[in-house]
């Protein structure tokens, strides 16, 4: 390979982000490249993927560096790029020999084992050098060559768009020696000779021993991860679904999945009750539902198997529990086509208030923990009803039904000279006397 100038990054330590991802490679939905941060012989490898562990990076290679990925990259036509998207603009780690041109050792030690099939790595410019690969499985046993999941050799200079460093012989590819777990270059200094791997066993750590055959070669290491989504819907049996609710993502042992900020990963249910967690590491998860007052969840936790890709249909069916409350005297409303309704004392001051049944001929919204605001649809007169639920101060789940009567008041017509109605006077009287009354009667 040609020696080339390496642009070092001064980026801060990379970390995953919550749900919304900006680092996913273009053209490859469901994947993301790793981000490197290096200071001398140590650094970190992180992924913009929720639930994927970070790695500590150590190397005894000379002049270790992180390259920008602007001039040397894996385009989308390469096997690795077809699986994870082109790497242009994504950083990679350079591999060099140790002092005295002896073999160097670079180790990636993950915070917890990476699941089989959830990630892959590619070694680039392996021509006048070799890379022997070893590692440790999740159970502490050594990884076998077969566990490393060698997927094939290719040349990243063989198809457009070409990295700027490509030139000369472009068809060279390394060979994989499965007995010694070594990717071996052909000895001559060429361009773009590469191989890639997708481990088929969970990996706790990975070690690369980089050795020179001739010249002063520089190898390249890219790491990428697949991503998955978990989706579902929250419905209610016998009543409308809640207008808010929270879904919590957990590991199979029940512990919360956390984002880069260390906070638990959550999602909200939308208007149709749908929810989704995006940008997740392929793995087994559990989803728990936290519902507002007026509901309970007979099955509050569901398994979500995203080990092989997206997990859909992780649904929750909630139950509603209305409580009969004493009927209250009717409340007459002014003429503004809306009414602030006081909640019953049992609910006033409660928590997790939600509209558990929407009105059929109007809208209602929670104002505070003691009041709601009802507004009838334009032109509607007649009965309507809705329900509000929440937890009382002692934790009891209560739903209060509200019955509303929208009554149109007669508008007095004002007359001018000769008995002709004057529109301006009529409008003034309508505003003064009120056009609509709403009588609200609470019922259980």
């Amino acid at each position: 390979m040609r020696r080339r100038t390496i642009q070092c990054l001064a980026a801060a330590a990379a970390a995953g982000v919550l749900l919304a991802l900006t680092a996913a490679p273009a053209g490859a939905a469901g994947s993301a490249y790793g981000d490197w941060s290096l200071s001398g012989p140590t650094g970190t490898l992180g992924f913009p993927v929720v639930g994927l562990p970070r790695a500590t990076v150590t190397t005894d290679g000379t002049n270790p560096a992180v390259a920008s990925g602007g001039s040397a990259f894996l385009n989308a036509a390469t096997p690795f790029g077809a699986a994870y998207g082109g790497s242009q603009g994504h950083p990679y780690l350079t591999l060099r020999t140790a002092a005295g041109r002896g073999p160097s050792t670079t180790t990636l030690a993950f915070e917890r084992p990476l699941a089989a099939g959830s990630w892959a790595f590619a070694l680039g410019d392996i021509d006048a050098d070799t890379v022997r690969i070893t590692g440790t499985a999740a159970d502490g046993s050594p990884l076998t060559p077969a566990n490393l999941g060698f997927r094939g050799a290719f040349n990243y200079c063989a198809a457009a768009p070409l990295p700027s460093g490509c030139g000369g012989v472009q068809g060279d590819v390394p060979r994989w020696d499965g007995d010694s777990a070594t990717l071996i270059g052909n000895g001559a200094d060429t361009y773009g000779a590469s191989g890639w791997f997708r481990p088929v066993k969970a990996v706790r750590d990975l070690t690369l021993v980089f050795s020179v055959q001739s010249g002063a070669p520089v190898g390249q290491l890219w790491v990428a991860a697949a991503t998955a989504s978990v989706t579902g819907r929250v419905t209610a049996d016998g009543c409308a679904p809640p207008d808010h609710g929270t879904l919590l993502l957990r590991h199979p042992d029940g512990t919360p999945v956390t984002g880069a900020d260390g906070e638990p990963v959550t999602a909200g249910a939308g208007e149709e009750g749908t929810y989704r967690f995006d940008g997740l590491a392929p793995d087994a998860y559990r989803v728990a539902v936290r519902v507002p007052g007026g509901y309970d969840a007979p099955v509050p936790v569901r398994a979500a198997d995203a080990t092989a890709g997206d997990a859909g249909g992780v649904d929750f069916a909630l139950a509603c529990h209305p409580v009969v409350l004493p009927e209250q005297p009717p409340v007459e409303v002014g003429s503004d086509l809306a009414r602030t309704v006081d909640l019953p004392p049992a609910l006033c001051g409660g928590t997790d208030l939600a509209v558990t049944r929407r009105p059929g001929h109007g809208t209602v919204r929670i104002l505070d923990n003691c009041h709601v605001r009802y507004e009838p649809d334009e032109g509607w007169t007649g009965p309507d009803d809705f329900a509000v639920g929440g937890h009382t101060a002692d934790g009891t789940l209560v739903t209060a039904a509200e019955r509303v009567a929208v009554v149109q008041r007669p508008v007095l017509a004002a007359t001018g000279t000769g008995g002709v109605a004057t529109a301006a006077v009529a409008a003034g009287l309508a505003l003064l006397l009120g056009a609509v009354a709403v009588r609200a009667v609470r019922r259980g």
Side-chain angles (χ1 to χ4, degrees):
M1 73 194 68
R2 296 282 181 89
R3 298 187 65 182
R4 52 178 65 92
T5 301
I6 302 297
Q7 178 181 355
C8 296
L9 299 180
V17 297
L18 176 64
L19 299 182
L21 301 180
T22 58
S31 60
Y33 275 85
D35 295 321
W36 303 86
S37 175
L38 199 64
S39 177
T42 61
T44 58
L45 167 65
F47 298 90
V49 179
V50 175
L52 208 62
R54 293 159 57 87
T56 298
V57 181
T58 57
T59 183
D60 60 3
T62 56
N63 300 318
V66 175
S68 68
S71 60
F73 54 86
L74 308 175
N75 62 46
T78 64
F80 197 83
Y84 295 97
S87 73
Q88 189 171 20
H90 294 282
Y92 62 86
L93 184 68
T94 62
L95 301 175
R96 299 175 186 267
T97 57
R101 291 170 51 83
S104 68
T105 301
T106 299
T107 299
L108 311 180
F110 296 97
E111 294 173 333
R112 64 178 184 277
L114 280 173
S118 67
W119 69 297
F121 62 96
L123 293 165
D125 257 2
I126 307 303
D127 43 31
D129 40 27
T130 67
V131 181
R132 182 167 62 89
I133 308 171
T134 60
T136 306
D139 59 6
S141 64
L143 293 173
T144 68
N147 295 153
L148 297 171
F150 177 66
R151 304 286 292 182
F154 61 94
N155 191 295
Y156 64 62
C157 291
L162 293 179
S164 60
C166 289
V169 179
Q170 297 181 356
D172 184 36
V173 295
R175 63 183 177 88
W176 173 245
D177 182 359
D179 293 331
S180 63
T182 304
L183 190 64
I184 303 172
N186 290 317
D189 186 13
T190 61
Y191 301 85
S194 308
W196 71 293
F197 304 78
R198 182 185 290 150
V200 297
K201 192 171 184 178
V203 175
R204 178 182 294 175
D205 58 63
L206 193 74
T207 298
L208 309 174
V209 178
F210 181 82
S211 302
V212 63
Q213 295 189 84
S214 64
V218 178
Q220 302 154 340
L221 173 63
W222 287 271
V223 180
T227 64
S229 298
V230 172
T231 59
R233 187 180 182 190
V234 179
T235 59
D237 184 15
C239 60
D243 55 5
H244 67 278
T246 303
L247 290 304
L248 303 92
L249 192 66
R250 295 176 176 173
H251 294 292
D253 63 1
T255 59
V257 175
T258 57
D261 58 1
E263 295 298 317
V265 176
T266 64
E271 290 186 1
E272 300 299 322
T274 57
Y275 73 90
R276 64 184 302 118
F277 295 97
D278 287 321
L280 307 178
D283 208 343
Y285 296 98
R286 300 174 73 189
V287 180
V289 61
R290 179 188 295 158
V291 296
Y295 299 87
D296 67 3
V299 181
V301 180
R302 294 285 312 279
D305 186 1
T307 53
D310 297 343
V314 187
D315 300 335
F316 294 89
L318 307 183
C320 311
H321 297 286
V323 175
V324 176
L325 297 177
E327 185 175 297
Q328 301 296 314
V331 178
E332 190 167 297
V333 183
S335 61
D336 59 354
L337 295 179
R339 171 67 185 180
T340 298
V341 180
D342 298 337
L343 293 177
L347 273 178
C348 186
T351 60
D352 297 330
L353 291 182
V355 178
T356 58
R357 186 176 69 252
R358 298 178 179 88
H361 303 285
T363 60
V364 66
R365 59 187 176 92
I366 305 292
L367 293 181
D368 54 41
N369 62 0
C370 280
H371 305 90
V372 298
R373 185 77 165 173
Y374 171 82
E375 182 172 355
D377 292 337
E378 184 176 357
W380 171 255
T381 59
D384 202 358
D385 61 85
F386 60 91
V388 177
H391 287 92
T392 61
D394 63 1
T396 302
L397 190 63
V398 175
T399 298
E402 298 289 346
R403 187 172 51 177
V404 178
V406 182
V407 180
Q408 182 72 40
R409 285 182 174 175
V411 178
L412 300 180
T415 59
T417 305
V420 180
T422 305
V425 177
L429 288 174
L431 178 62
L432 178 64
L433 298 177
V436 173
V438 177
R439 298 181 180 273
V441 179
R442 297 183 181 85
R443 72 174 183 188

